[in-house]
Amino acid sequence: MTVSRTVCLGFLAVITVGTILLMMPFSTSSGSWNDPIVALFTATSAVCVTGLAVVDTGTDFSFWGQLCILLLAQIGGLGYMTTTTFLIMLVGRKFNLRQKIAIQRTLDRPGMSGSAQVIRSIIATTMIFEITGIFLLVPAFVPDYGWSTGIWLAIFHSISAWNNAGFSLFPDSLMGYQSSFLVVFTITMLIIFGGIGYQVILEMYLWLRDRLLRKPQSLVFSLDFKVAASTTILLLCLGTMAFFAIEIKNTATLGLVNLPGQLLSAWFQSVTTRTAGFNTIDIGKMTSAGLFITIAFMFIGASPGGTGGGIKTTTLRVLTSCTKSILQGKEEVLLYERKIAISLILKAVGVLVGSVGMLVLSTTLISLTDPTLSFIELLFEVVSAFATVGLSTGITSTVSVPAKLILIVTMYVGRVGVLLLMAAMLGDPRPSRVHYPEENLLVG
């Protein structure tokens, strides 16, 4: 079995187990057997860290059902191979060459050495951020819901935010805490650091450590760090300004809120479109321009190595740098005075073309099964599913069963990745030794 198939089948196995558990009577608040479609959709949404829901997580699922959803989101956020490897390490076993290659492919690492140490660091980083988030959210939830419920709400939303899962136990997501700086700050920080990637967090930690200990600055930031960090900051700033300018006169979203509240909501909306899925405003009442901007940011998504989806910030930067090089008449693609390999450019183009193709296919199929849906709502839902965001205009629970199945497939493809799925179906790519003559072709 190829490495790609191992990863793809691993996600399917986790989804299958999750579906069975969520169908059980102990998972529902009513104590009856759950609808298989609801269980399958919820399990897929959790494992794919999407957050789209066909029922209210806080009322339709029992504590055990909510715990199952949270564990599935944790596994999905860490990744199947990361979780499996960590469990193998816990029982004291050594992993073989195939598992090392799978880890390398999943984490997008240049080599296989030090995989065990990387896994330990990822688990430790995850626990540190999630526990910190819990302690910060407890003062916000406990006064409103008491200690037992408040602590569970803090645990659930901290883990959900770090994994960019978007599941909430409140029926209106976080709209009730729209003006709470503590909740907005904590959730957005968890979303940003969860989606920016482990490598960026590690380099940031090493830089801060050297500064605090006043050591000589020997660390040279990698190209991954520079691209992911700069693109993330740029997109967050642009998103905040765009949502503030577009929605400021919309009385259903930002229009009736004071200026600090408007800026806070615009900031949260900019962050959550990076595949997080929480919302502090009513997404269904946003303007068409606001929805379209959200679609664009959802499509871009988070950074490689993080818990988010989308085509990734690095893919965007490679493609925009390609365009810049063409306009300047250059034959090389440069980023921070570094030449980008042709193989990476081809990979970025493949991700873009494959992603657009999947979105076109899913949108077309759902428009056939549910012709009454408006195009902007339909496109929003499909992009949210593919980019594993979880934001919705409110149509998730109302679409037909065939549409739900299409969204399930879309979430799965978005989580494992278009190129990885194609490699699983066609076999891992092998370099060709045959070279053909070059010839010009009219383009554009």
Side-chain angles (χ1 to χ4, degrees), residues 47-97:
V47 174
C48 298
V49 290
T50 305
L52 287 176
V54 291
V55 294
D56 183 17
T57 307
T59 57
D60 287 72
F61 288 99
S62 65
F63 167 78
W64 298 110
Q66 295 168 11
L67 180 61
C68 179
I69 292 172
L70 200 60
L71 292 176
L72 292 174
Q74 185 74 83
I75 294 172
L78 288 173
Y80 164 73
M81 284 309 305
T82 302
T83 306
T84 303
T85 305
F86 179 67
L87 294 176
I88 291 174
M89 290 164 55
L90 282 181
V91 298
R93 288 178 54 195
K94 295 182 178 181
F95 39 92
N96 55 35
L97 179 61

Side-chain angles (χ1 to χ4, degrees), residues 240-359:
T240 302
M241 292 186 291
F243 288 119
F244 179 80
I246 291 172
E247 297 292 328
I248 190 170
K249 294 184 179 180
N250 184 359
T251 57
T253 54
L254 301 182
L256 299 180
V257 186
N258 56 26
L259 181 59
Q262 290 173 338
L263 292 173
L264 204 61
S265 296
W267 161 255
F268 191 92
Q269 186 65 19
S270 177
V271 174
T272 197
T273 54
R274 312 301 308 287
T275 81
F278 295 102
N279 60 283
T280 57
I281 61 175
D282 192 340
I283 302 297
K285 294 181 180 179
M286 290 179 66
T287 61
S288 296
L291 290 175
F292 194 73
I293 290 294
T294 303
I295 290 173
F297 279 98
M298 289 193 301
F299 183 68
I300 296 170
S303 300
T307 57
I311 63 171
K312 309 298 185 184
T313 53
T314 48
T315 302
L316 174 69
R317 286 296 296 274
V318 169
L319 294 173
T320 53
S321 297
C322 285
T323 305
K324 180 181 176 181
S325 296
I326 293 172
L327 294 177
Q328 293 178 340
K330 297 180 179 178
E331 295 184 355
E332 295 180 342
V333 178
L334 301 177
L335 268 173
Y336 294 100
E337 300 180 350
R338 294 293 184 272
K339 180 181 176 181
I340 305 300
I342 294 297
S343 59
L344 291 180
I345 298 174
L346 294 177
K347 184 178 180 180
V349 173
V351 169
L352 178 64
V353 173
S355 300
V356 171
M358 185 64 197
L359 292 178

Side-chain angles (χ1 to χ4, degrees), residues 178-248:
Q178 182 183 29
S179 59
S180 173
F181 177 82
L182 178 61
V183 173
V184 169
F185 171 80
T186 304
I187 295 295
T188 52
M189 289 301 102
L190 287 170
I191 292 169
I192 292 171
F193 283 104
I196 204 169
Y198 163 76
Q199 182 65 31
V200 175
I201 296 175
L202 176 62
E203 292 190 35
M204 194 180 304
Y205 162 74
L206 294 175
W207 180 80
L208 288 173
R209 184 196 63 182
D210 291 345
R211 289 293 294 263
L212 292 174
L213 297 178
R214 297 182 178 180
K215 290 183 177 181
Q217 291 295 313
S218 58
L219 174 67
V220 178
F221 287 121
S222 66
L223 186 60
D224 280 321
F225 178 92
K226 294 177 182 177
V227 172
S230 62
T231 309
T232 297
I233 294 172
L234 177 62
L235 290 174
L236 290 174
C237 294
L238 288 177
T240 302
M241 292 186 291
F243 288 119
F244 179 80
I246 291 172
E247 297 292 328
I248 190 170

Side-chain angles (χ1 to χ4, degrees), residues 363-442:
T363 304
T364 302
L365 291 176
I366 297 181
S367 65
L368 294 175
T369 61
D370 295 61
T372 59
L373 294 176
S374 68
F375 177 75
I376 189 70
E377 290 180 330
L378 173 56
L379 181 62
F380 191 98
E381 196 80 8
V382 170
V383 174
S384 180
F386 178 78
T388 68
V389 180
L391 292 176
S392 175
T393 56
I395 66 171
T396 311
S397 59
T398 61
V399 297
S400 63
V401 172
K404 289 185 175 71
L405 294 175
I406 294 170
L407 288 174
I408 288 172
V409 175
T410 304
M411 287 189 288
Y412 174 75
V413 174
R415 179 63 184 95
V416 300
V418 175
L419 297 185
L420 189 67
L421 183 63
M422 292 300 296
M425 296 171 62
L426 304 176
D428 288 332
R430 294 191 178 110
S432 175
R433 302 191 180 199
V434 179
H435 297 278
Y436 296 94
E438 183 179 300
E439 187 172 345
N440 287 329
L441 178 68
L442 296 176

